Amino acid sequence: MIQDPKSFESFIHELRDFVRTRLVPHEARVAAEDEVPAEVVAEMAAYGLFGYSIPAAYGGAGMTTEELVMAAMELSQCSVAFRARVGTNTGIGSEALVADGSDEQKRRYLPDLASGKLTGCFALTEPDAGSDATALRTTAVRDGDHYVLNGTKCFITNAPIAGLFTVMARTATDNQGAGGVSAFLVERGTPGLSTAKPYAKMGQAGSPVSEVHFDNCRVPAANLIGKEGQGFKTAMKVLNKQRLHLAALCIGPAIRMLNDAVAYTATRKQFGQPVGSFQLVQALIADCQTEIHAARALVLETARKRDAGEDVTMEASICKYFASEMCGRVADRCVQALGGYGYIADNSIERLYRDVRLFRLYEGTSQIHQLNIARRTFSAAGYDLRP
């Protein structure tokens, strides 16, 4: 739990000010150039944004889950590109190392991830292995003191700029399920590793995403995380925490959109009075505020349970499902509240409307989370619905 609430509260206020004064002013530039400027990245690194969840022993802030989600709600109240630039380091790009890495692996990589000197990414998804992640085909064949990786990953956030790849690959060809998958650390520059041109996307300009290719890529056996066949256990540790983190990252944009919609409708006049005085517009605002509060309370409660050592696998799915769907509903209402202006490119709400659509797809689609929540609900009641 938070050891010094007053100090952390002060930190949150400082982070809020940093987001508003140092990041928000660059939003239009990021959208136009499709990248976060190097000087802004350096400023974020100096502020410590890359190392929030990395243990203090390796240069990070060592935040609890509760602290991490509270910080995420603040950091995400600006263009998604800013939090995505640091997000893999504070989430899936470092969590496998933190959870199951060896002492040597942690000493070698975590300090550079925490400082922002090194950008990490998590390479799990493949063209035929998305929601069914156990169907992955990337192979890792042992050859002396190395493994030889072959295969393709897709939709990998920060892959074009990453220096370290956490890669899930199949080490046991006779086991086509989760037990045949292992996790590896692969450095950029390793022969046989390449990244494709970044995708052109609906939104999230400035956050590069691409395919990753492995062509007889030789990786030292010392770069295996944990033991052979335990890759999916590591992945689930990563994803449970990341789903909570992402749920918090859905709340920040919703808060930003609501604040901007309130400011606009309070001053925009029609029929001689502010648009915000009309009851149907007020209903849109009230629904947004209610759902944001509900999501925030749910995420904080679940984060505290995780910090207490409880199994929050189902709760993490609930958080990710509810918060991402909530954010989409808030975005739609806020565009509606702004009327025609809400459809004009490059105002904050129009941009976030496109950005947040992805939240319902990655880290498990909403439909996959619905299935997971239902299956676990039946199981907890003593029913096994498997064929």
Side-chain angles (χ1 to χ4, degrees):
M1 295 300 292
I2 297 170
Q3 299 298 314
D4 185 354
K6 288 187 177 180
S7 175
F8 190 76
E9 183 179 355
S10 176
F11 159 78
I12 288 293
H13 283 298
E14 291 175 3
L15 177 58
R16 186 175 301 147
D17 182 68
F18 180 80
V19 168
R20 292 175 179 175
T21 62
R22 304 303 307 152
L23 300 184
V24 169
H26 291 284
E27 288 180 330
R29 179 182 176 190
V30 169
E33 298 178 1
D34 196 20
E35 68 176 354
V36 181
E39 65 270 22
V40 178
V41 175
E43 194 169 356
M44 290 192 293
Y47 199 73
L49 298 186
F50 284 89
Y52 280 175
S53 62
I54 294 174
Y58 300 101
M63 287 185 177
T64 64
T65 312
E66 181 181 2
E67 291 169 332
L68 178 63
V69 298
M70 291 176 69
M73 291 179 202
E74 298 297 332
L75 179 58
S76 58
Q77 291 181 45
C78 56
S79 289
V80 173
F82 295 113
R83 75 90 192 153
R85 184 63 182 82
V86 304
T88 48
N89 282 35
T90 59
I92 56 177
S94 67
E95 285 297 334
L97 259 175
V98 172
D100 290 332
S102 68
D103 290 341
E104 173 58 29
Q105 289 171 343
K106 291 177 181 179
R107 285 193 296 268
R108 182 172 180 177
Y109 297 115
L110 286 180
D112 284 348
L113 288 169
S115 69
K117 180 179 179 181
L118 183 67
T119 296
C121 72
F122 188 71
L124 170 61
T125 303
E126 299 183 1
D128 294 320
S131 294
D132 181 12
T134 60
L136 65 83
R137 297 180 180 178
T138 296
T139 59
V141 178
R142 186 71 182 253
D143 182 21
D145 292 333
H146 289 77
Y147 286 88
V148 181
L149 273 62
N150 283 282
T152 295
K153 302 292 183 177
C154 62
F155 308 142
I156 308 304
T157 300
N158 281 343
I161 58 174
L164 182 67
F165 300 74
T166 300
V167 182
M168 296 293 156
R170 190 167 297 284
T171 47
T173 55
D174 59 340
N175 185 341
Q176 295 302 306
V181 174
S182 302
F184 297 89
L185 295 166
V186 186
E187 298 180 13
R188 181 174 291 280
T190 302
L193 181 151
S194 62
T195 54
K197 180 181 178 181
Y199 299 111
K201 308 186 302 298
M202 177 190 294
Q204 300 206 8
S207 174
V209 182
S210 76
E211 292 183 348
V212 182
H213 302 286
F214 301 94
D215 182 11
N216 291 323
C217 179
R218 294 181 63 83
V219 179
N223 285 25
L224 172 71
I225 299 178
K227 299 179 180 179
E228 272 198 20
Q230 293 188 351
F232 260 97
K233 290 183 179 179
T234 297
M236 287 305 101
K237 293 177 185 178
V238 170
L239 291 175
N240 276 338
K241 184 176 180 181
Q242 179 61 12
R243 284 165 177 169
L244 272 177
H245 188 192
L246 179 57
L249 292 168
C250 292
I251 295 169
I255 293 172
R256 168 73 181 281
M257 288 185 286
L258 176 58
N259 288 342
D260 288 355
V262 166
Y264 181 84
T265 58
T267 56
R268 167 72 168 167
K269 290 188 176 182
Q270 290 290 288
F271 304 101
Q273 57 186 307
V275 172
S277 68
F278 299 129
Q279 289 182 339
L280 292 179
V281 174
Q282 290 182 353
L284 295 174
I285 300 300
D287 286 350
C288 290
Q289 188 70 278
T290 300
E291 289 203 86
I292 289 170
H293 272 69
R296 186 176 188 276
L298 177 62
V299 169
L300 286 172
E301 177 191 28
T302 306
R304 290 166 187 148
K305 284 185 177 181
R306 186 181 186 278
D307 286 336
E310 297 183 35
D311 180 2
V312 296
T313 302
M314 183 168 76
E315 288 90 339
S317 267
I318 292 171
C319 286
K320 195 278 176 178
Y321 170 54
F322 181 76
S324 61
E325 292 287 336
M326 173 278 298
C327 190
R329 290 190 293 268
V330 168
D332 191 70
R333 293 188 195 110
C334 288
V335 168
Q336 194 71 15
L338 266 64
Y341 182 65
Y343 197 69
I344 300 301
D346 290 332
N347 76 71
S348 63
I349 293 175
E350 182 274 339
R351 182 170 56 246
L352 285 168
Y353 180 88
R354 289 182 287 106
D355 288 349
V356 304
R357 184 60 183 84
L358 184 58
F359 291 164
R360 293 151 62 192
L361 299 176
Y362 59 14
E363 311 299 343
T365 66
S366 291
Q367 288 66 42
I368 287 297
H369 283 291
Q370 285 177 306
L371 294 175
N372 186 42
I373 293 163
R375 178 176 59 82
R376 289 182 175 276
T377 299
F378 277 110
S379 179
Y383 300 100
D384 186 353
L385 301 186
R386 290 176 295 180

